[in-house]
Each structure stands twice: as C-alpha cells, then as structure tokens.
Amino acid sequence: MSEPRRAHSRFHQVRLRLEAMAVVPGPRGWFLEFLVFGFKQGWACLFGGLMLALLLGTHLFWPEGVPVHRYDAITVGAVLIQLSMLTFRLETPREAVVILLFHIVGTVMELFKTAAGSWQYPEASLLHIGAVPLFSGFMYAAVGSYIARVWRIFDFRYTRYPPAGATWALAAAIYVNFFAHHWLPDIRWLLFAATGLLFWRCQVWFRPLHVHRRMPLLVGWGLVALFIWFAENIGTFARAWTYPSQKDGWHMVGVEKLGSWYLLMIISFVLVSLVQRPQTPCQT
C-alpha cells in the first residue's frame, strides 16, 4: 500500500476510533468533541494546507540559479496534489467538477484583476496565461476543495435555506461586481444587505461527533473568511502574489479584504451546492 493510501486509511481508523468513544455530559465530553472537530477541520483543509506549505517552502528554500522557475514548480506541485487527492479518493469526482469550476472562475478573475493592477505576480514563469501563473487557479480550488470536503465530512444540513434560484442570482451579482466596480459604483454593501436578507434565518447543522450542532450560516462564512484572510497573509509573505501597497516590503493585508473574501465565500458555497444539494436535518 502506498504512503498516501496508508495515510488515508489511518485517517479513517482514527476517525472511527474517535467517533466510537462515548461522550459523557460535561467538560470532558465537550473537550473530546472539540478535539474531533479540530481533527476533521484539519482533514478538510488538506488541499489548502498543502498549497500553503508549497508556497511557503519554495519561498524559504528555493535555491538561486536553478533553471526552473519557482512559479512553475509550484504549478507542477499543485497538479500533483490535485491528482493525488483524486487518486487516493480524498476527493470525489463530483467534487473535482466543482474544483474545475473554481479554476475557471478564479482564472478569469485573476486575468482581469492583474490587468487592472489590483495585484501582481512578481516572479517569472513559463506556465502562465497573460500575467497570471497557472498555479493561481489552484488557490481558488483550495477554497472549493475545503468547502466540498467539510460539507461531506461534517454532514452539513440546513434549516431555512433560501431558494436555490435566489442564491444563484446573488452569487452571479457578486461575481459581476468584482469586475464592474472598476467602472460602475461598487454595490458590495447592497450585496451584503441582500446576503443578510436571504440567509439571516438560515442555520447550518454540522456533526463533529455523534450529534449535529448548529450555528448561523452567516457566522460560519465569517469564520471561514477570517481563516482565508490569514492564509492570504501567508501567501503574500511568500511572494506568491503581492498588492501594490506591498511594493516596498511585505506587511499584513488590510482587514478590509475580509469583505471580499466573505463575498467570495458565497460564490464558493453556491458552486458547491450544485453537487452537494442542501438537505434538512430530517433528510437522510
């Protein structure tokens, strides 16, 4: 058995042992549930974690004078990560379709935003489209991979989920605004308001261990957007891409970017919902 397949098998063995443990009421039971929650979250973040390790590792240890561009090595590494995820059944084929959509959606946005000067890729590469190295699409795919995997691993269920057509319209409006605000008024505050109106009653039910817990979906999106913002700071520190304000040296990305990531989360969630249909807690 190959090493990744053994790792996958070990994960399932550990998860089965944890889920078989009796949870007694009180702090000890809560602590066990918290540990399992963290374990599952880490497993869901596998693609994103490996991508961040690849960006940071090549930034710190890439040797000077080698004939291969660092960005091209990142692209090849990202392809190998994606193929491994599929080969060792860490992602399902349906999830891979969603991730392909993320590649397309993300690459189109990258081409436009780099042309508009919103950010840039400061290093050379051979594997690129325009000014965008091909590994950029995998960073969007990491978000899609996480949402698809966490949805499945935690057995997400929803109460008061809005009509699918309304969520698709909202996601489309958010995506268009990412482009249109360069010429037209930025309507992101209207989009935040529309998001609140659609989802303020929606609860996501997730199962860390034996029973489902719940939280407002709007809160869950905010927490994920926060972690993506932390990951973005690691990515810019590793000079995977840079913002104009970081031209003279790295500094943390402004917290205002949290709003952009929050809106991107909605697009991501709606794309995943195309293959992971939202179910209610009473559905099996």
Side-chain angles (χ1 to χ4, degrees):
M1 184 184 294
S2 65
E3 182 59 31
R5 194 175 295 274
R6 285 198 298 269
H8 186 218
S9 176
R10 283 196 295 268
F11 164 75
H12 283 293
Q13 291 173 5
V14 171
R15 193 177 73 176
L16 288 173
R17 290 194 191 100
L18 290 172
E19 292 182 347
M21 295 178 67
V23 177
V24 296
R28 183 176 178 181
W30 300 334
F31 182 66
L32 174 62
E33 191 168 15
F34 177 76
L35 288 180
V36 177
F37 175 84
F39 180 73
K40 288 185 174 181
Q41 283 285 351
W43 192 244
C45 290
L46 181 62
F47 191 110
L50 291 174
M51 279 297 299
L52 281 179
L54 186 59
L55 297 180
L56 194 57
T58 55
H59 172 66
L60 295 175
F61 304 112
W62 191 253
E64 294 184 5
V66 295
V68 178
H69 294 300
R70 173 185 169 231
Y71 280 179
D72 293 334
I74 294 173
T75 298
V76 172
V79 171
L80 293 176
I81 292 171
Q82 181 64 82
L83 291 176
S84 298
M85 296 284 285
L86 287 170
T87 301
F88 300 107
R89 294 180 290 181
L90 302 177
E91 286 175 350
T92 67
R94 294 178 67 190
E95 291 168 353
V97 171
V98 175
I99 291 169
L100 176 61
L101 290 176
F102 273 87
H103 272 275
I104 297 171
V105 168
T107 300
V108 171
M109 186 183 297
E110 288 286 324
L111 289 168
F112 178 84
K113 290 292 189 178
T114 52
S118 298
W119 56 79
Q120 65 176 348
Y121 292 89
E123 299 182 23
S125 65
L126 295 176
L127 304 175
H128 62 86
I129 301 175
V132 179
L134 294 184
F135 75 80
S136 66
F138 288 95
M139 296 187 294
Y140 291 89
V143 177
S145 175
Y146 167 75
I147 296 174
R149 283 164 57 77
V150 80
W151 193 316
R152 172 167 48 86
I153 291 171
F154 282 90
D155 188 26
F156 279 1
R157 305 299 171 101
Y158 305 90
T159 50
R160 296 176 175 172
Y161 193 87
T167 66
W168 299 339
L170 175 63
I174 292 171
Y175 190 64
V176 169
N177 187 65
F178 277 128
F179 299 89
H181 80 84
H182 288 274
W183 307 288
L184 302 173
D186 190 348
I187 63 168
R188 70 178 59 202
W189 292 109
L190 292 176
L191 296 171
F192 283 129
T195 300
L197 288 173
L198 274 178
F199 289 97
W200 72 275
R201 296 192 305 167
C202 183
Q203 300 277 327
V204 56
W205 296 73
F206 57 98
R207 184 163 56 86
L209 197 52
H210 300 307
V211 298
H212 277 84
R213 308 296 183 185
R214 65 174 179 170
M215 75 164 59
L217 183 57
L218 293 173
V219 173
W221 283 343
L223 293 173
V224 176
L226 179 63
F227 278 99
I228 295 175
W229 178 75
F230 286 134
E232 181 182 36
N233 278 285
I234 296 173
T236 55
F237 173 78
R239 291 185 63 80
W241 70 98
T242 59
Y243 290 102
S245 63
Q246 297 171 324
K247 181 180 179 180
D248 297 324
W250 180 82
H251 59 79
M252 291 191 70
V253 178
V255 293
E256 69 276 2
K257 282 291 182 180
L258 278 171
S260 298
W261 286 117
Y262 195 95
L263 293 174
L264 182 68
M265 277 299 306
I266 298 169
I267 298 175
S268 306
F269 207 85
V270 171
L271 283 175
V272 173
S273 74
L274 295 176
V275 296
Q276 298 272 23
R277 297 295 183 183
Q279 294 183 319
T280 62
C282 62
Q283 290 178 295
T284 58

